[in-house]
Amino acid sequence: LVLARERRARHRPTMGGGGGEQCYLYRDLGRGSYGGDIFCLQQALKKEGHFSGAPSAFYGEKTELAVASWQASMGLQPAKGFMGRQSRAAFARKHKLPTPDEITAEDAAVRADGVRKTCMDACAQFGDEKFCHTRCVRREALKGHACREACQIAFAEACDKQYPGTGKSAEYQDCLKHSKASCKKLCGRYD
């Protein structure tokens, strides 16, 4: 079960259609990290011909080399395989997504300078546990992206909890495979 709520409108949508290829990289990624965002990154790098093999959600040597290859193809320096803020922003621009500066985890509907933001809550539920995340945007037009990013994070956290441990299983990877379709369905009404 996945739920979303737009804070300003206090509205809970039913699941709808819409969307497109989305992969939100909301944190710096490097060797030793794991999670749904890395699984998504590996899928995107594979599609672009930089990553071979099955996505694992683990950022190891193969992912580091694939990211370095992608960075070099984008003209990013240094191309060392670490997805820091500059690389994440370039990835977002290439895929026509908001940059890390345009979507935030802030939980305030009005910034200190008085600018109103739209905040989206998305929750994933496994059994009795609910995993919720909030993402905020300055422009109303980006609220679908805020919903999908919050959903991607919540869904990955739920998969992490359902399949714990550092040696992530095939079941964990299968769980993550459902993230894109579920978030697309959930947040499509905001496109």
Side-chain angles (χ1 to χ4, degrees):
L1 175 64
V2 184
L3 303 170
R5 178 170 58 102
E6 180 180 353
R7 279 258 176 94
R8 275 189 25 210
R10 297 194 191 291
H11 181 71
R12 277 186 196 254
T14 56
M15 293 192 183
E21 179 92 340
Q22 312 293 326
C23 189
Y24 298 93
L25 307 179
Y26 60 94
R27 61 181 175 136
D28 289 349
L29 303 172
R31 193 183 281 228
S33 302
Y34 76 90
D37 48 353
I38 295 164
F39 187 84
C40 191
L41 172 64
Q42 290 168 333
Q43 288 178 316
L45 292 172
K46 184 173 182 147
K47 192 173 185 178
E48 293 178 26
H50 298 284
F51 184 81
S52 61
S56 66
F58 178 73
Y59 203 117
E61 183 179 7
K62 281 176 61 173
T63 304
E64 189 174 69
L65 292 171
V67 168
S69 170
W70 175 82
Q71 288 169 325
S73 77
M74 295 291 294
L76 297 172
Q77 296 298 326
K80 293 188 175 183
F82 178 75
M83 286 296 284
R85 195 166 198 80
Q86 177 188 5
S87 294
R88 292 184 297 117
F91 184 90
R93 284 190 296 274
K94 180 179 188 335
H95 294 278
K96 296 180 174 64
L97 299 172
T99 64
D101 292 329
E102 294 177 292
I103 298 181
T104 65
E106 297 168 16
D107 196 18
V110 179
R111 293 186 341 207
D113 61 6
V115 174
R116 188 166 196 55
K117 296 184 300 183
T118 299
C119 295
M120 301 294 295
D121 295 328
C123 299
Q125 186 168 342
F126 279 95
D128 293 337
E129 290 191 75
K130 191 186 267 188
F131 304 89
C132 299
H133 281 272
T134 300
R135 287 297 182 261
C136 301
V137 290
R138 293 182 195 114
R139 294 184 294 137
E140 180 83 8
L142 297 177
K143 69 183 176 183
H145 291 287
C147 180
R148 282 187 294 278
E149 183 171 306
C151 181
Q152 177 184 302
I153 297 166
F155 204 96
E157 189 175 290
C159 291
D160 287 343
K161 182 71 174 189
Q162 187 74 11
Y163 304 101
T166 53
K168 295 298 185 180
S169 64
E171 291 88 1
Y172 172 72
Q173 293 165 17
D174 189 52
C175 181
L176 292 174
K177 285 178 187 175
H178 296 286
S179 174
K180 269 188 191 173
S182 295
C183 294
K184 179 179 176 180
K185 190 174 186 180
L186 172 70
C187 301
R189 73 173 326 139
Y190 296 114
D191 291 332

